[in-house]
C-alpha cells in the first residue's frame, strides 16, 4: 500500500448565497504522507480552515463540496453520507481545534470523556479503556495522571487542556489528524510545548497531520511541507525550508517580508499593498494580480494553478512560464 | 544617573490589586478567606520622550493592566505615575478594532470626537478639515469619513483607531496589542504607519505586546514582565544579544524562528502559575533552570546595573 494518507484532488467548496455562489476553496490539490506534517497557511479568509473542515466533513450548510475528490488511504470519503462520515471522524481522522475549552464538555471529567471516546472506537471494556486513557494522558505529557484523570476541564490550564484534546484525537489511533490553529489560543512558551508534542507524536506513530494556522512561525517550526493559500486557491506548495527561505510566489515573498525578523534589522517592513479580495470580488486571472508588482496581461486573464497533488511550486505565471505577457503559452 | 530631563513618563513602585474573593455569603459559609490578585506588583520604569518602551510577557502578566493604569482607566493601588506632559495629549490604541469603534457612528464622527471633547470651541469646518487630514495621514480617503466601521477591514479599522488617537494631537500613545488581531501583511502596514507617525510627530509610545518579533521591530527599550513584575529591562538590541533573566531566555528560546525552519528543540516545561497565589520568593523559581535556595525565599529586586539595564534575578547577579 502506498504511504499517501490524504489525497485531495481539485477540491472546490462553495457557499450559495442570495447574491450568488461564493467559492471558498477553489481547485485545491494536495497530498499528505504517513508521518508527514503539512502546514496550511494563509491570512483570515484564505480558505485554509474551510479546506480542513471539508476534509473532516464538517462544512456548515449551505457550504458544500462542489467538485474534486478526497481520498483517505485510498478510500474516497467526500461522497460519504453524514453517518458514514461520523464513523470516520474520530476513528480514522482526528481533529484538534483552536479553543480547547469548547472541544471538551465542561460537565464531564476528562477521564470519562477519554474513556467514552475510546470505547466508541474500540472493543476495549471500561477498565481497559481507563488504562488506555491514562496511557494517552501520559503520552501527551500530563503530570500526576492518577489524580488528573478525574478532574474536570476547568481544572486544567489552557496548555494542559489542549493536551487533553490531543489525547482525545489520538484515542482511536487515527491515520490523519486535522489540527486547526491548535496553538493560537496559547502563550508562546506553551505553544512551543504543544508543537513539540505534535511533532513527536507524528514521528512516533506515523500519523499524517494537516496543521492549519495563520502563524508562519509555527509552520516553520513544525511542518515538513507548506501549502500557502490565497483567496481560496493554492499560491505555493513546497518543502518548508524552501517556502520560508526562497519563496517563489510574489504573495509568499511579501508575506515573509512583512513578518518582523528576530535577526535582521529593517527600518521598514515590506508591505503588500491593499488587502485580500473578498470572496465575492475575486479579480479575473490570478487572484493576487492587483497587489502584485510583476503582474502582466496574462495574470489578469488566466488563473495560474498548481495542479498535481504532490507538486511543489508556485501558482504564478512568471514563475511557471517566465513571462506575464498576453500571448504566452504555458 | 537619576537625572532624566527628557523623561515623559516615570512609573514608580506601581501596584494594582484586584479583589477576587468569593461573595460575602460564600466566605461566611465556606470560611473562605479574602483573596487579592496582584496584577501589577511593584513596577517601575521610565520612558524618554520620542522613544518606544515595550512591555512584553505572556497572558496574565499584568501588561494590559499597566496600560490601563497609565491612561487612568484604573486607579493604582499603590505607587506613583508621573506624566511630564499634558494629560489631554495622552491617547490609547486598543487591541480589538472591532470592539473599540462605535458601530453606530460614522467614521468621521468617531475621529472628530476627541477634538470636540478636548477643544470644544473648534469651529465645525476646522474639525471636518482636520478629520479629512487625519484620514489621509493614516492612508484612508476623506470620503471614508462618511462610512460606518463595519464597512472596513480589520487593518483599516485599526487605522481609524490611530486617526482617532491622533485627533487630540497626542504626544504620548499607549498601544495595547495594536496589531494582535491583524493578519501579518496588514500588521506590517500598521507597524510601518506607527513608525512613520512617531518620526513625523515625535510621538512617545508605550507599546504592549506578547509578540517578541514585533516588539524587537518597534521598541527602543524592552521590559519583560512575569506575574505582575518586570523581571528585566534592557535596550532592545542588548536584550536580544544578551538576555539576562532566565525567563527572558526561555521566551527567546521558545519563539519560532523563521530564519531557522524545522528546528528541533526541547521546550522548557511548566506554565505561568496563578497570579492569585504566586510562588514564594522569585515567582519564576518553579520553572527556573538556575534556581537555588535563596530564590525560593527571597524576592529579587531589580538592581540597577547600568543605565536602563536591570534584571531581577539572583543567579544573573551572581554572574550565572
Amino acid at each position: 500500500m502506498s504511504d499517501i494518507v490524504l489525497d485531495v484532488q481539485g477540491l472546490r467548496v462553495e457557499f450559495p448565497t442570495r447574491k450568488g455562489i461564493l467559492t471558498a476553496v477553489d481547485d485545491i490539490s494536495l497530498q499528505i504522507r504517513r508521518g508527514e506534517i503539512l502546514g496550511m497557511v494563509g491570512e483570515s479568509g484564505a480558505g485554509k480552515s474551510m479546506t480542513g473542515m471539508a476534509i473532516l466533513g464538517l462544512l456548515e450548510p449551505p457550504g458544500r463540496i462542489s467538485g474534486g475528490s478526497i481520498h483517505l488511504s485510498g478510500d474516497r470519503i467526500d461522497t460519504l453520507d453524514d453517518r458514514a462520515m461520523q464513523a470516520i471522524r474520530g476513528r480514522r481522522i482526528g481533529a484538534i481545534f483552536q479553543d480547547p475549552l469548547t472541544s471538551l464538555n465542561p460537565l464531564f471529567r476528562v477521564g470519562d470523556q477519554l474513556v467514552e471516546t475510546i470505547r466508541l472506537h474500540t472493543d476495549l471494556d471500561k477498565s481497559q479503556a481507563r488504562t488506555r486513557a491514562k496511557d494517552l494522558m501520559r503520552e501527551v505529557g500530563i503530570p500526576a495522571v492518577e489524580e488528573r484523570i478525574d478532574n474536570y476541564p476547568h481544572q486544567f490550564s489552557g496548555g494542559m487542556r489542549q493536551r487533553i484534546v490531543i489525547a482525545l484525537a489520538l484515542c482511536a489511533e487515527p491515520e490523519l489528524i486535522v489540527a486547526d490553529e491548535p496553538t493560537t489560543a496559547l502563550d508562546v512558551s506553551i505553544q512551543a510545548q504543544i508543537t513539540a508534542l505534535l511533532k513527536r507524536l507524528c514521528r512516533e506513530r506515523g500519523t499524517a497531520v494537516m496543521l492549519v494556522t495563520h502563524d508562519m512561525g509555527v509552520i516553520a517550526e513544525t511542518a515538513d511541507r507548506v501549502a500557502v493559500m490565497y483567496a481560496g486557491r493554492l499560491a505555493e506548495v513546497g518543502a518548508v525550508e524552501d517556502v520560508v527561505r526562497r519563496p517563489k510566489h510574489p504573495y509568499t515573498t511579501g508575506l515573509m517580508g512583512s513578518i518582523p525578523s528576530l535577526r535582521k534589522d529593517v527600518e521598514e517592513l515590506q508591505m503588500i499593498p491593499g488587502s485580500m479580495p473578498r470572496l465575492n470580488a475575486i479579480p479575473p486571472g490570478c487572484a493576487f494580480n492587483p497587489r502584485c508588482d510583476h503582474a502582466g496581461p496574462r495574470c489578469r486573464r488566466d488563473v495560474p494553478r498548481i495542479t498535481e497533488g504532490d507538486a511543489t511550486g508556485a501558482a504564478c505565471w512568471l514563475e511557471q512560464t517566465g513571462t506575464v505577457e498576453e500571448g504566452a503559452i504555458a | 544617573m537619576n537625572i532624566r530631563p527628557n523623561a515623559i513618563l516615570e512609573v514608580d513602585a506601581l501596584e494594582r490589586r484586584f479583589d477576587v474573593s468569593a461573595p460575602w455569603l460564600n466566605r461566611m459559609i465556606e470560611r473562605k478567606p479574602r483573596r487579592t490578585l496582584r496584577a501589577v506588583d511593584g513596577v517601575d520604569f521610565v520612558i524618554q520622550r520620542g522613544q518606544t518602551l515595550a512591555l512584553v510577557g505572556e497572558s496574565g502578566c499584568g501588561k494590559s493592566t499597566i496600560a490601563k493604569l497609565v491612561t487612568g482607566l484604573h486607579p493604582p493601588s499603590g505607587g506613583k505615575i508621573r506624566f511630564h506632559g499634558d494629560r489631554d495629549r495622552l491617547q490609547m490604541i486598543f487591541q480589538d478594532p472591532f470592539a473599540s469603534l462605535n458601530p453606530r457612528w460614522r467614521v468621521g464622527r468617531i475621529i472628530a470626537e476627541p477634538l470636540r471633547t478636548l477643544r470644544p470651541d473648534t469651529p465645525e469646518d476646522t474639525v471636518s478639515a482636520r478629520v479629512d487630514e487625519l484620514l489621509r495621514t493614516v492612508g484612508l480617503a476623506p470620503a471614508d469619513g462618511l462610512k460606518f466601521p463595519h464597512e472596513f477591514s480589520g487593518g483599516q479599522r485599526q487605522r481609524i483607531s490611530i486617526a482617532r488617537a491622533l485627533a487630540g494631537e497626542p504626544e504620548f500613545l499607549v498601544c495595547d496589542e495594536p496589531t494582535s488581531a491583524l493578519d501579518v501583511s496588514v500588521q506590517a502596514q500598521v507597524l510601518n504607519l506607527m513608525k512613520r507617525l512617531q518620526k513625523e510627530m515625535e510621538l512617545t509610545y508605550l507599546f504592549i505586546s506578547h509578540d517578541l518579533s514585533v516588539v524587537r521591530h518597534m521598541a527602543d527599550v524592552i521590559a519583560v514582565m512575569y506575574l505582575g513584575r518586570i523581571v528585566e529591562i534592557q535596550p532592545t538590541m542588548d536584550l536580544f544579544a544578551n538576555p539576562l533573566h532566565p525567563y527572558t531566555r526561555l521566551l527567546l528560546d521558545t519563539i519560532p524562528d523563521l530564519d531557522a525552519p524545522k528546528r528541533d528543540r526541547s521546550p522548557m516545561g511548566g506554565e505561568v502559575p496563578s497570579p492569585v497565589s504566586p510562588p514564594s520568593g522569585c515567582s519564576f523559581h518553579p520553572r527556573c533552570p538556575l534556581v537555588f535556595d535563596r530564590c525560593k525565599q527571597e524576592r529579587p529586586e531589580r538592581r540597577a546595573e547600568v543605565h536602563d539595564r536591570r534584571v531581577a534575578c539572583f543567579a544573573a547577579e551572581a554572574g550565572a
Side-chain angles (χ1 to χ4, degrees):
Chain A
M1 211 175 99
S2 97
D3 63 350
I4 294 167
V5 175
L6 180 74
D7 187 9
V8 176
Q9 294 295 336
L11 180 71
R12 288 174 72 88
V13 174
E14 288 180 349
F15 282 80
T17 68
R18 256 179 287 170
K19 290 178 186 166
I21 289 174
L22 301 180
T23 308
V25 176
D26 186 0
D27 198 3
I28 296 270
S29 300
L30 41 90
Q31 293 180 334
I32 312 180
R33 290 165 190 279
R34 254 180 72 80
E36 183 182 53
I37 302 182
L38 174 79
M40 297 281 289
V41 71
E43 301 183 82
S44 6
K48 53 192 193 309
S49 289
M50 213 56 84
T51 308
M53 287 303 189
I55 291 163
L56 286 164
L58 287 176
L59 285 175
E60 298 250 353
R64 56 164 193 245
I65 295 175
S66 59
S69 64
I70 305 170
H71 285 85
L72 181 67
S73 306
D75 307 326
R76 185 155 183 183
I77 57 168
D78 58 305
T79 47
L80 297 177
D81 59 22
D82 284 350
R83 181 182 263 181
M85 205 52 215
Q86 204 159 25
I88 285 185
R89 268 197 308 272
R91 186 166 311 177
R92 296 185 60 191
I93 310 179
I96 302 167
F97 295 112
Q98 174 170 347
D99 184 357
L101 204 54
T102 53
S103 315
L104 296 168
N105 189 329
L107 299 177
F108 291 91
R109 299 171 201 277
V110 298
D112 295 342
Q113 298 187 50
L114 282 163
V115 166
E116 184 200 349
T117 312
I118 292 165
R119 295 197 63 198
L120 185 68
H121 296 302
T122 63
D123 310 326
L124 300 180
D125 67 30
K126 216 170 179 178
S127 72
Q128 287 171 318
R130 195 172 160 89
T131 313
R132 172 129 176 80
K134 285 183 199 160
D135 291 344
L136 280 169
M137 285 173 73
R138 269 183 217 110
E139 193 171 349
V140 297
I142 291 176
V145 168
E146 294 294 337
E147 300 149 37
R148 296 298 253 164
I149 191 164
D150 289 320
N151 283 169
Y152 289 92
H154 76 267
Q155 292 170 294
F156 291 84
S157 65
M160 284 296 154
R161 250 181 246 140
Q162 199 58 299
R163 288 170 195 266
I164 302 275
V165 173
I166 294 173
L168 270 172
L170 292 173
C171 278
E173 310 210 355
E175 297 143 61
L176 172 72
I177 288 180
V178 176
D180 191 353
E181 305 273 6
T183 60
T184 306
L186 307 173
D187 277 318
V188 274
S189 65
I190 312 302
Q191 177 177 306
Q193 297 171 8
I194 298 293
T195 53
L197 172 67
L198 268 179
K199 251 158 99 174
R200 198 194 81 217
L201 295 171
C202 168
R203 219 169 272 168
E204 287 174 1
R205 295 165 162 256
T207 316
V209 177
M210 174 183 252
L211 176 67
V212 177
T213 175
H214 71 284
D215 189 332
M216 207 64 194
V218 170
I219 296 272
E221 189 100 327
T222 320
D224 300 302
R225 284 194 307 129
V226 192
V228 183
M229 285 192 74
Y230 184 80
R233 300 174 190 162
L234 281 181
E236 180 163 0
V237 181
V240 69
E241 43 288 34
D242 292 339
V243 175
V244 168
R245 292 222 182 105
R246 294 173 292 276
K248 291 196 178 108
H249 196 288
Y251 172 65
T252 324
T253 313
L255 196 63
M256 298 307 303
S258 65
I259 304 170
S261 166
L262 289 168
R263 301 187 184 189
K264 279 168 255 154
D265 291 310
V266 283
E267 188 46 39
E268 222 173 72
L269 297 168
Q270 205 177 321
M271 284 195 290
I272 312 174
S275 53
M276 196 167 67
R278 294 192 181 178
L279 289 179
N280 57 9
I282 293 178
C286 170
F288 187 62
N289 84 68
R291 302 174 73 187
C292 183
D293 292 338
H294 312 289
R298 176 127 206 226
C299 309
R300 289 188 267 276
R301 193 190 62 200
D302 301 330
V303 180
R305 302 245 179 232
I306 303 169
T307 43
E308 301 293 312
D310 58 348
T312 58
C316 170
W317 290 123
L318 187 63
E319 178 61 30
Q320 288 180 358
T321 66
T323 174
V324 291
E325 292 313 315
E326 186 79 58
I329 294 157
Chain B
M1 274 322 228
N2 284 326
I3 307 150
R4 298 186 178 183
N6 218 7
I8 187 163
L9 183 80
E10 289 178 77
V11 167
D12 197 14
L14 187 65
E15 262 185 52
R16 173 69 204 192
R17 293 179 294 270
F18 291 102
D19 189 346
V20 290
S21 313
W24 177 83
L25 199 60
N26 293 59
R27 286 209 308 276
M28 292 301 119
I29 297 168
E30 294 160 25
R31 294 171 187 274
K32 282 185 179 165
R34 270 198 172 277
R35 304 216 291 174
T36 47
L37 182 152
R38 286 168 177 268
V40 178
D41 189 7
V43 159
D44 34 32
F45 58 85
V46 176
I47 307 182
Q48 307 291 325
R49 209 170 281 272
Q51 286 212 321
T52 301
L53 179 123
L55 293 175
V56 65
E58 298 180 279
S59 29
C61 72
K63 52 193 193 303
S64 291
T65 308
I66 291 183
K68 288 182 179 151
L69 293 171
V70 169
T71 42
L73 293 174
H74 281 323
S77 317
K80 278 198 190 80
I81 301 170
R82 274 189 297 270
F83 184 62
H84 306 293
D86 184 353
R87 264 273 159 193
D88 285 349
R89 297 181 64 194
L90 186 152
Q91 290 287 339
M92 184 158 177
I93 301 169
F94 297 91
Q95 170 172 359
D96 186 350
F98 294 85
S100 57
L101 301 176
N102 188 335
R104 289 160 189 270
W105 283 17
R106 289 182 198 275
V107 165
R109 184 173 170 203
I110 292 174
I111 296 173
E113 196 196 9
L115 263 178
R116 295 199 172 113
T117 315
L118 297 171
R119 295 172 194 57
D121 42 357
T122 318
E124 215 28 55
D125 52 334
T126 316
V127 171
S128 67
R130 176 90 179 117
V131 168
D132 290 357
E133 184 196 332
L134 284 165
L135 280 166
R136 265 189 233 108
T137 307
V138 297
L140 296 169
D144 289 331
L146 298 171
K147 297 184 187 165
F148 286 98
H150 76 262
E151 295 174 70
F152 295 90
S153 67
Q156 289 171 322
R157 285 187 213 205
Q158 207 56 309
R159 287 169 190 268
I160 296 168
S161 303
I162 293 172
R164 174 178 60 184
L166 294 177
E169 290 172 19
E171 48 187 356
F172 188 91
L173 280 180
V174 177
C175 318
D176 189 3
E177 304 264 14
T179 60
S180 304
L182 308 177
D183 278 317
V184 278
S185 71
V186 182
Q187 165 173 287
Q189 297 171 357
V190 173
L191 292 180
N192 282 347
L193 172 68
M194 289 181 66
K195 268 203 149 176
R196 201 193 79 217
L197 294 173
Q198 176 166 45
K199 225 178 279 168
E200 288 173 7
M201 307 184 178
E202 292 169 1
L203 297 171
T204 309
Y205 289 144
L206 173 60
F207 192 93
I208 289 157
S209 178
H210 69 283
D211 186 331
L212 274 163
S213 57
V214 168
V215 159
R216 181 180 184 275
H217 182 71
M218 295 297 290
D220 300 295
V221 179
I222 297 178
V224 181
M225 292 194 65
Y226 189 76
L227 279 180
R229 301 174 192 175
I230 292 179
V231 294
E232 172 167 3
I233 186 163
Q234 283 213 71
T236 303
M237 285 309 130
D238 298 343
L239 185 102
F240 277 84
N242 183 23
L244 297 171
H245 198 281
Y247 178 63
T248 314
R249 287 185 212 159
L250 175 140
L251 276 185
L252 289 176
D253 219 42
T254 47
I255 34 174
D257 187 348
L258 276 176
D259 298 311
K262 291 191 84 172
R263 179 172 57 139
D264 258 315
R265 53 183 182 181
S266 39
M268 205 185 287
E271 299 183 354
V272 183
S274 158
V276 179
S277 48
S280 62
C282 169
S283 49
F284 186 62
H285 86 252
R287 299 173 77 188
C288 183
L290 308 172
V291 63
F292 53 98
D293 285 346
R294 190 178 168 197
C295 310
K296 294 173 190 166
Q297 288 135 24
E298 220 177 301
R299 169 176 166 178
E301 294 305 322
R302 273 183 303 125
R303 191 167 53 92
E305 286 193 358
V306 225
H307 181 56
D308 269 354
R309 175 191 317 244
R310 286 169 298 160
V311 59
C313 174
F314 294 126
E317 270 178 39

